[in-house]
Amino acid sequence: MARADTLARARKLDRPETAYLMRFPTADGTRDMELTWAELARDTDWVTARLREHGLAAGQRALLTASGFEGFWGHAVIGALGTLKVTYGIAEAMGWDHRRAAVFHRELAPHAVIGLSAQTLEGLAGAVDIGEMFRPTSVVLARPAAVPLLRAVGVSAALISAVGPALALECPERRGAHVNAAEWRVGERDGQLSVAAGEGRASPLPETPLGIAGRVVAGRCGCGSEDPRVLLAEAN
């Protein structure tokens, strides 16, 4: 049976509403939440809009560095790249896979690098000039610990980070990473971030301290978004 036929039949099968079981760290340990297919679709739509703001469009190429356990947001990013018709390659975000990241970056000449980690940068540092490698890349979305390393060598990196079960993604204004207000409520207390699930999420999540140092900025961003922004201490 051809692969297309197999996929067509698979689409007709019933499937459970749950897409992922998310496990994320909090100030008091770890917590689990369910992620439904409907929620994943909404998350993908939100990420698609954010990447479009960064200029990603059909025919471009991207490098995504992510780990399998990050599927709850990695899948949304992959879905967004597919919607935008952006060709992408994937490397592991751990330092031991830095060579794959280097090969993809060289061969793809990507418009965007998404999810760049400090571990990847540390692995690359012994073989390449990080500034020369990433300054020509139009869009660099990096994890908190990687952002100051990149900015120190002249790379205009924006922030992408998990905030508990939510994804924070900085817009081209680079004044904090937006969190989807339709799905999550982010707050701060004594310099520490918290998150709660919005009313539309299937798994309830009351206000939960995350043990992440940072603050929340409310109000309209220069990009026009009303979504709150998080400023992470680690990324500054």
Side-chain angles (χ1 to χ4, degrees):
M1 182 180 292
R3 182 172 183 270
D5 294 334
T6 302
L7 292 174
R9 291 193 179 188
R11 292 190 189 100
K12 297 179 181 180
L13 298 175
D14 292 333
R15 66 179 181 182
E17 292 185 2
T18 301
Y20 281 95
L21 291 175
M22 304 185 289
R23 173 163 291 180
F24 59 94
T26 73
D28 300 317
T30 58
R31 182 163 184 135
D32 295 331
M33 282 188 73
E34 292 185 8
L35 172 65
T36 69
W37 291 105
E39 290 165 347
L40 180 56
R42 297 198 301 269
D43 293 343
T44 299
D45 288 343
W46 185 82
V47 175
T48 300
R50 302 290 76 74
L51 294 184
R52 188 178 284 118
E53 290 172 350
H54 278 283
L56 270 72
Q60 295 174 344
R61 296 178 293 274
L63 167 62
L64 171 64
T65 60
S67 300
F69 67 89
E70 297 174 314
F72 68 94
W73 69 259
H75 199 293
V77 172
I78 289 171
L81 293 173
T83 298
L84 294 168
K85 295 181 171 56
V86 174
T87 301
Y88 62 90
I90 302 177
E92 171 63 56
M94 302 299 181
W96 50 260
D97 205 29
H98 68 274
R99 289 186 178 86
R100 192 203 310 255
V103 169
F104 273 132
H105 192 273
R106 183 180 67 246
E107 298 299 325
L108 288 174
H111 178 84
V113 176
I114 303 170
L116 197 56
S117 69
Q119 294 94 326
T120 297
L121 293 179
E122 289 167 2
L124 291 170
V128 300
D129 183 304
I130 297 299
E132 289 184 1
M133 182 173 180
F134 292 109
R135 277 194 297 268
T137 305
S138 298
V139 180
V140 178
L141 297 173
R143 298 162 190 262
V147 168
L149 298 177
L150 289 163
R151 291 178 178 173
V153 293
V155 179
S156 182
L159 175 67
I160 185 169
S161 179
V163 180
L167 179 64
L169 204 162
E170 198 163 25
C171 71
E173 294 288 319
R174 287 168 174 73
R175 294 183 178 178
H178 292 279
V179 175
N180 187 355
E183 302 291 332
W184 306 102
R185 299 192 305 273
V186 289
E188 64 172 280
R189 182 176 299 176
D190 299 327
Q192 301 287 310
L193 297 182
S194 65
V195 67
E199 294 180 359
R201 305 299 287 197
S203 282
L205 181 71
E207 182 180 350
T208 302
L210 297 173
I212 298 174
R215 62 189 183 92
V216 178
V217 179
R220 181 181 289 270
C221 175
C223 71
S225 173
E226 298 283 358
D227 285 335
R229 288 164 283 150
V230 294
L231 303 174
L232 303 183
E234 187 180 10
N236 295 313

